Amino acid sequence: MQNKTLSKNSTAIKSYLAVFILLTWRQLSLIIINKSLDEIEVMHIELVLYALFYISTILCSLFVSIFSEKTGKRLFMRLWTAIAIISSLVFIVFVAFNGRTLGSVIFSLFSGISVGMGIPICFASFADYTRVENRGRIGAVLFFLTSLFFALLISLSNIFSELAFSIFSIILLTIILLFSRDWREINKSKVAFPSVIRSGPFLSYFSAWCIYCFIDAFEAPLLQHFLDVYFGEAFMRFILSLMTLFASFSMFIAGFLADFRGRRNLLIYGFVMSGIAYVTVGIAAVHRVAWYLFSIVDGIAAGFFLVMFIFTIWGDLSLGRSNEKYYAIGTAPFFFINFIKELFIPYLEMIPVSASFSLASFFLFLAVIPLLYAPETLPEKLIRRRELKKYVEKAKKIREKYEKQKED
């Protein structure tokens, strides 16, 4: 019995590590693509590389979520890491022989395919080895650690070349490839795509998530452009850093609140906070104080959304069934918005800033409506049990204090 528990705990840690390395590999891929673009002088190559990466990620994620139920997770766990390693090796070879453009195209396509393969497998394994009462906290810790590592990678990107990042990727991915040899799987009942898409609770959460992703894709480049033009690049970078800082630490808050108070109300508060942040800068966009307030409030809300919509909600909604499809569909907007951002950038100067921020706040408040009809995914009896336990502990302390005073 003890050996079985140790084996399960070991696989759980491996599943958490797999998510960490998958998200890190995604960031490494984007760093390598960005650094390659500095050396390539081909018209529209930037849009081509990003399109190959993001579209292949989404399509491959949906594809794997279907076939993993038939073949098992272990095969695709090995496959996505093997493809990632090969894509890095191919990129190194092409750059060495002065074929950077073709090497970047191949790398963008196959790194996107590998990330897409890993998304449903790694996140489904994460959900398999967490419980509904601790999924938020574990997801928050994972995302926080990943964010810290992202920051380190970004700071190192100014020092090391894309070849150095490619070599580091190979070393990192080899760890998961070695782990996948003894990967343990949990057999669960299968679920079809139509039943996922037609599910009322799924549609309620997914529609709110899509609204936020669209607003972020539309507003983020515009926000950066406005701050850069009106206040300067230094202030723009400071505001973005402040948002990232508050988003990172609010993940912890989100994880604990979600596991003790529930998911739905936390998301409602997040959308209201983000809407208020956009109203503030829509009214007072020329005042620095408004942007300080925006960075804090919207950063906290973003931390809530990332933990809930990337790690937590889709695992909850699967209700113990096979959850690859839930994560494949549920995380797709997060990866798709990055491509949409690239499409919006050439048209930034044509968009009125105050009108766009006001429109963003309207849609963010609108996103609350489907959440009002969504069920709470944290079981009500669990919330009540924790409240009762807290009440009993408080009553016990009061009684002990009263008895002590009586003895004195």
Side-chain angles (χ1 to χ4, degrees), residues 76-357:
F76 286 105
M77 183 64 74
R78 292 177 178 177
L79 199 55
W80 83 259
T81 50
I83 292 174
I85 292 170
I86 292 169
S87 65
S88 296
L89 288 171
V90 169
F91 177 76
I92 292 171
V93 171
F94 270 90
V95 171
F97 288 94
N98 297 321
R100 181 182 296 274
T101 303
L102 182 57
S104 298
V105 170
I106 295 172
F107 177 81
S108 298
L109 175 62
F110 284 95
S111 61
I113 289 173
S114 66
V115 172
M117 281 188 173
I119 288 169
I121 302 303
C122 294
F123 280 102
S125 295
F126 163 81
D128 288 343
Y129 288 97
T130 53
R131 300 186 304 275
V132 67
E133 62 265 28
N134 65 10
R135 189 169 293 137
R137 281 171 288 171
I138 295 175
V141 171
L142 267 176
F143 218 136
F144 178 75
L145 294 175
T146 307
S147 299
L148 289 181
F149 201 63
F150 284 176
L152 177 63
L153 291 175
I154 294 298
S155 62
L156 292 175
S157 64
N158 296 324
I159 303 172
F160 295 102
S161 68
E162 62 272 31
L163 295 180
F165 281 105
S166 300
I167 295 169
F168 176 69
S169 299
I170 294 169
I171 297 170
L172 196 65
L173 291 159
T174 304
I175 297 173
I176 292 299
L177 191 61
L178 294 174
F179 279 170
S180 64
R181 292 184 300 178
D182 57 346
W183 195 268
R184 293 173 59 88
E185 296 192 36
I186 297 176
N187 294 322
K188 292 190 172 186
S189 58
K190 299 177 181 180
V191 60
F193 263 122
S195 64
V196 175
I197 297 171
R198 289 199 300 262
S199 170
F202 180 86
L203 286 176
S204 297
Y205 284 105
F206 187 70
S207 57
W209 176 224
C210 285
I211 291 174
Y212 173 76
C213 287
F214 175 79
I215 294 300
D216 185 63
F218 182 77
E219 296 293 340
L222 182 65
L223 181 149
Q224 294 180 35
H225 177 74
F226 176 81
L227 289 175
D228 187 19
V229 172
Y230 200 90
F231 294 104
E233 184 180 356
F235 184 76
M236 182 266 289
R237 292 188 179 279
F238 175 75
I239 290 297
L240 293 179
S241 299
L242 201 60
M243 288 178 65
T244 304
L245 178 66
F246 276 93
S248 298
F249 284 100
S250 74
M251 291 175 188
F252 273 119
I253 301 172
F256 281 89
L257 286 178
D259 285 344
F260 286 93
R261 295 294 182 180
R263 284 66 153 129
R264 190 188 69 158
N265 289 340
L266 185 68
L267 289 173
I268 291 173
Y269 296 149
F271 277 104
V272 172
M273 289 170 62
S274 191
I276 291 172
Y278 274 101
V279 167
T280 303
V281 293
I283 295 173
V286 295
H287 298 285
R288 290 175 181 262
V289 176
W291 288 103
Y292 292 137
L293 180 64
F294 174 87
S295 62
I296 296 170
V297 176
D298 194 62
I300 292 172
F304 290 178
F305 297 144
L306 291 174
V307 172
M308 292 299 99
F309 285 124
I310 299 298
F311 283 92
T312 311
I313 290 295
W314 317 123
D316 294 349
L317 292 175
S318 63
L319 300 174
R321 298 172 294 175
S322 180
N323 43 35
E324 288 89 346
K325 292 184 178 69
Y326 284 90
Y327 278 103
I329 303 172
T331 57
F334 175 71
F335 295 98
F336 187 64
I337 60 170
N338 292 282
F339 177 59
I340 297 299
K341 286 179 183 178
E342 298 299 324
L343 296 178
F344 279 148
I345 288 174
Y347 306 101
L348 294 179
E349 296 181 358
M350 302 168 57
I351 304 171
V353 173
S354 58
S356 67
F357 289 159

Side-chain angles (χ1 to χ4, degrees), residues 7-72:
S7 178
K8 185 177 180 180
N9 291 337
S10 175
T11 308
I13 293 171
K14 289 177 184 179
S15 70
Y16 306 157
L17 183 62
V19 173
F20 175 83
I21 291 180
L22 172 69
L23 293 176
T24 303
W25 164 237
R26 172 185 173 270
Q27 186 68 12
L28 284 167
S29 299
L30 292 173
I31 289 174
I32 292 169
I33 292 171
N34 286 333
K35 291 185 75 66
S36 294
L37 286 170
D38 295 336
E39 305 294 331
I40 300 174
E41 297 180 358
V42 178
M43 189 174 293
H44 304 306
I45 189 65
E46 183 176 6
L47 191 60
V48 171
L49 296 184
Y50 283 125
L52 287 172
F53 180 81
Y54 289 119
I55 294 174
S56 62
T57 295
I58 296 168
L59 293 179
C60 199
S61 179
L62 296 173
F63 174 83
V64 169
S65 69
I66 298 172
F67 288 94
S68 62
E69 290 184 345
K70 300 176 182 178
T71 60

